[in-house]
Amino acid sequence: MTERAQPPQPPQSATEYSATAPARAHGGLTAAEVAERVTRGEVNDVPVRSSRSTADIVRANVLTRFNALIGALFAVILVIGPIQDGLFGFVIVANTGIGIIQELRAKRTLDRLAVVGESRPTVRRDGTATEVHSSEVVLGDLIELGPGDKVIVDGEVAEADGLEVDESLLTGEADPVLKRPGDPVLSGSFVVAGGGAFTATKVGRAAYAAQLAEEASRFTLVDSELRSGISMILKYVTWMMVPTAVGLVLSHLFTLNMAGDDAVRRMVAGIVPMIPEGLVLLTSVAFAIGVIRLGRRQCLVQELPAIEGLARVDVVCLDKTGTLTEGGMDVSELRPLHGADEEYVRQVLGALGECDPRPNASLQAVIDAYPADDGWRCTESLPFSSARKYSGASLNGPDGESSTWLLGAPDVLLPDGDGTFAETDDLNSRGLRVLLLARAEREPADPAVTEHLTPTALVVLAQRLRADAPDTLRYFAEQRVRTKVLSGDNAVSVGAVAAGLGLPGAQHPVDARRLPAEPEALAGALEDGTVFGRVTPQQKRSMVTALQSRGHHVAMTGDGVNDVLALKDADIGVAMGSGSEATRAVAQIVLLDNSFAALPAVVAEGRRVIGNITRVATLFLTKTVYSVLLALLVACWQIPYPYLPRHLTLLSTLTIGVPAFFLALAPNKERARPHFVRRVMRYAIPSGLITGAAAFAMYLLARSHYSGPGALRSETSVATLTLFLTALWVLAIIARPYTWWRIGLVLAMGAGFLVVLVIPWLQSFFQLRLVGTA
């Protein structure tokens, strides 16, 4: 038994519900009492925000160590002039502005979607149940609970009807806890079965795990392989840059004895290109635009790395109900057993439906088909539980006879070898869902209630298949993402549904009750199978863990409370917008329009971000490598640095800045691969060394050819042309595979440099003049 975590101590300003306060257990607070508590500040005032504040966004984009370094060098150039050598400073201002604007757009998108997906608890005030915002709950409110509802504040149970609460997200204890009036409930837990109401005793920051909902829906830019890899690269770049820059400074000032202004300009030119200033910016822009694009598809990305994470997924675990099928069902047939009277069975089903104030989809179909008749009275009820796979009730009929009935899965309620299985198996093989109505000899709450049952009728339910499910399953198959269906329903029925949707391997469904409990053996069974039925909530969690143990990146989708634990443990949790509050709280992505077909768009967006940032990072780091190499070679040869800041600003704009912006936002379906840093550096280092060596060799050749007062300018022009051509070659390789616009992009950059060479005033502005025979 896991020891229960202790609630944190509330701040001094927090107030708790006094035991002596007037209790209105069934009617709730009056409007006057609510107004009084609001006036006293006794409200659930935990700030829930879906994104960083505007100030945080501006600060994150402006106050960086590289911006500080470039800003200092820009200030130096502004003092000594000319302004064309300070162009790099204006480029940084423009880039930072673009980053801020895009993140603010993403923030607005997230804020709007978060309002749509916000949970709205039901409180009872003046005897009337009303939905309110979480922030409008006050101390002493009576909050109603049903299956899948999340407990948003701490409280004390006032009413309970088979109320079972899962506190595993707080305590680690897997088994649901049966709650009775007077028992405490903690915020962050959720209801798995039954219903009831509780009185709020701690609200706001005083409540246990009060930050859970806030953290689950906060826009983040951390904890991703992509961003951590870029941070590692920037750290190494800083280590290389500092000693190289120091050597360059000492060489120009003390060894070459250049004129002060010219020496400073050449030093700045050597230092600035070492900084991959646009890399972080374009990463943020790519993520932000991804959020905006997904927002248009009604996908709420609650944690930004989820875009990247889903692109790395190679196994998607689906829950059948709400994912492959729509939430609703229809009763297609009623089959009385052993001569049972059909009209009597209809009355019993109607009475059972009336016993549950919050029916699941199966029971709702029964309620719609068989309305309750007068004369039946419920004396005791047992709500449906995903772990039990059945519900029940004790009823008093019109004739005064008392009876106990169970409604649930035939293969759970009936003993092995029962003759009814032949009939149910035939129905399940056609993709139909079958419920057994059985009469019991014991009370519903008796642990042995399923013993000695009398099968009375089969209720056949037709499931509504999602029209978009086949295309989505086909997409995952084409992208080499394996699909596993984990359902609590009968395995044969689930297999028939999945096979009808074209899922490979669905013809051999597996009953999860026969799976091994040992993790390694379970992982092996999961590798072999595709469809698994009769999966318990705890088994779903174990299955996710077993797949992860084999090195898989696992995404879990679901909408029911039985999916919460698996969603929490999966690498990426995807919840349906109409799902329970608990699933939406723990998922990283919420599909607000409940469309399973939106998942390919999320995967594609993640792949676009990762693939394109890998390309862009290679471009930026190639420049860093050749800049460091040139600075080292210049310092060793004791010769002037061949470039002015304006030359490298021009080259960076044409071979990196403009192309990188287009490449970062281009379509990209390449599957995400691990080891981001290794893959980027494996190309950036050799390409940077070749580019830098070629430029330096031509610079030395030009120094041996030119002489006289204008020699350095001519040597710089030759070195600039060489560096541009080699950097353009690197761009042409990274831009592959070629499409018409990628070829056009490379040619346009070449044409841009040609324009600078042939227009006289641009030649003068950039000090580029090729002397002699080309």
Side-chain angles (χ1 to χ4, degrees), residues 65-66 229-239 276 279-280:
R65 61 171 178 257
F66 289 127
I230 289 174
S231 297
M232 182 187 302
I233 289 171
L234 295 181
K235 180 174 67 174
Y236 293 148
V237 167
T238 304
W239 289 349
L279 182 55
V280 175

Side-chain angles (χ1 to χ4, degrees), residues 234-252:
L234 295 181
K235 180 174 67 174
Y236 293 148
V237 167
T238 304
W239 289 349
M240 289 191 301
M241 189 177 67
V242 172
T244 308
V246 170
L248 198 63
V249 169
L250 295 176
S251 171
H252 280 73

Side-chain angles (χ1 to χ4, degrees), residues 177-231:
V177 180
L178 183 66
K179 297 289 184 178
R180 297 181 175 84
D183 289 346
V185 287
L186 298 175
S187 58
S189 56
F190 57 92
V191 181
V192 294
F198 73 97
T199 304
T201 58
K202 290 183 182 178
V203 297
R205 292 169 177 83
Y208 184 84
Q211 301 302 314
L212 179 68
E214 178 185 3
E215 293 299 326
S217 59
R218 181 175 295 175
F219 178 85
T220 60
L221 287 169
V222 293
D223 298 331
S224 75
E225 181 182 347
L226 200 61
R227 296 190 65 86
S228 60
I230 289 174
S231 297

Side-chain angles (χ1 to χ4, degrees), residues 511-580:
D511 191 320
R513 292 172 297 184
R514 297 182 174 87
L515 288 175
E518 197 271 325
E520 186 60 30
L522 178 60
L526 289 168
E527 293 279 9
D528 298 334
T530 300
V531 175
F532 301 86
R534 293 298 175 224
V535 184
T536 65
Q538 192 59 41
Q539 266 186 315
K540 283 189 179 183
R541 188 180 202 179
S542 300
M543 287 175 161
V544 168
T545 304
L547 287 167
Q548 290 169 329
S549 71
R550 290 290 182 98
H552 293 295
H553 281 79
V554 182
M556 177 74 199
T557 73
D559 63 347
V561 67
N562 58 318
D563 302 319
V564 172
L565 299 178
L567 284 170
K568 182 72 175 176
D569 286 357
D571 295 290
I572 297 294
V574 182
M576 298 296 172
S578 63
S580 68

Side-chain angles (χ1 to χ4, degrees), residues 399-671:
D399 56 0
E401 180 189 7
S402 296
S403 57
T404 298
W405 299 87
L406 299 182
L407 182 66
D411 48 346
V412 172
L413 296 176
L414 295 177
D416 291 339
D418 191 282
T420 310
F421 283 135
E423 195 170 353
T424 60
D425 288 346
D426 175 63
L427 292 168
N428 287 327
S429 66
R430 289 186 273 158
L432 297 168
R433 189 170 188 174
V434 183
L435 299 178
L436 173 72
L437 176 68
R439 187 162 184 165
E441 297 179 358
R442 303 169 185 266
E443 295 301 310
D446 192 321
V449 66
T450 57
E451 297 177 6
H452 310 299
L453 297 179
T454 303
T456 305
L458 296 178
V459 183
V460 184
L461 303 175
Q463 305 175 87
R464 305 168 190 168
L465 300 182
R466 286 188 177 271
D468 49 28
D471 292 337
T472 306
L473 293 175
R474 193 177 307 113
Y475 170 84
F476 283 128
E478 292 169 353
Q479 297 300 317
R480 292 181 298 159
V481 177
R482 299 179 65 186
T483 303
K484 307 286 184 184
V485 179
L486 313 181
S487 176
D489 291 349
N490 177 274
V492 175
S493 173
V494 178
V497 169
L501 295 173
L503 180 63
Q507 299 82 2
H508 306 287
V510 178
D511 191 320
R513 292 172 297 184
R514 297 182 174 87
L515 288 175
E518 197 271 325
E520 186 60 30
L522 178 60
L526 289 168
E527 293 279 9
D528 298 334
T530 300
V531 175
F532 301 86
R534 293 298 175 224
V535 184
T536 65
Q538 192 59 41
Q539 266 186 315
K540 283 189 179 183
R541 188 180 202 179
S542 300
M543 287 175 161
V544 168
T545 304
L547 287 167
Q548 290 169 329
S549 71
R550 290 290 182 98
H552 293 295
H553 281 79
V554 182
M556 177 74 199
T557 73
D559 63 347
V561 67
N562 58 318
D563 302 319
V564 172
L565 299 178
L567 284 170
K568 182 72 175 176
D569 286 357
D571 295 290
I572 297 294
V574 182
M576 298 296 172
S578 63
S580 68
E581 292 178 24
T583 57
R584 296 200 305 270
V586 300
Q588 287 87 13
I589 295 174
V590 180
L591 306 179
L592 294 173
D593 60 356
N594 306 307
S595 175
F596 173 54
L599 270 185
V602 182
V603 173
E605 195 61 38
R607 292 185 173 183
R608 183 191 65 79
V609 169
I610 295 177
N612 290 341
I613 293 303
T614 302
R615 292 176 185 270
V616 168
T618 304
L619 275 180
F620 278 100
L621 294 172
T622 296
K623 182 188 74 166
T624 298
V625 172
Y626 72 63
S627 299
V628 172
L629 177 63
L630 284 171
L632 290 172
L633 292 174
V634 164
C636 292
W637 256 261
Q638 298 295 305
I639 55 179
Y641 193 76
Y643 306 106
L644 291 171
R646 70 192 76 172
H647 300 131
L648 292 169
T649 299
L650 174 65
L651 295 185
S652 295
T653 301
L654 293 178
T655 62
I656 299 172
V658 173
F661 186 80
F662 286 99
L663 292 175
L665 304 180
N668 192 330
K669 297 181 180 179
E670 181 184 358
R671 183 173 178 176

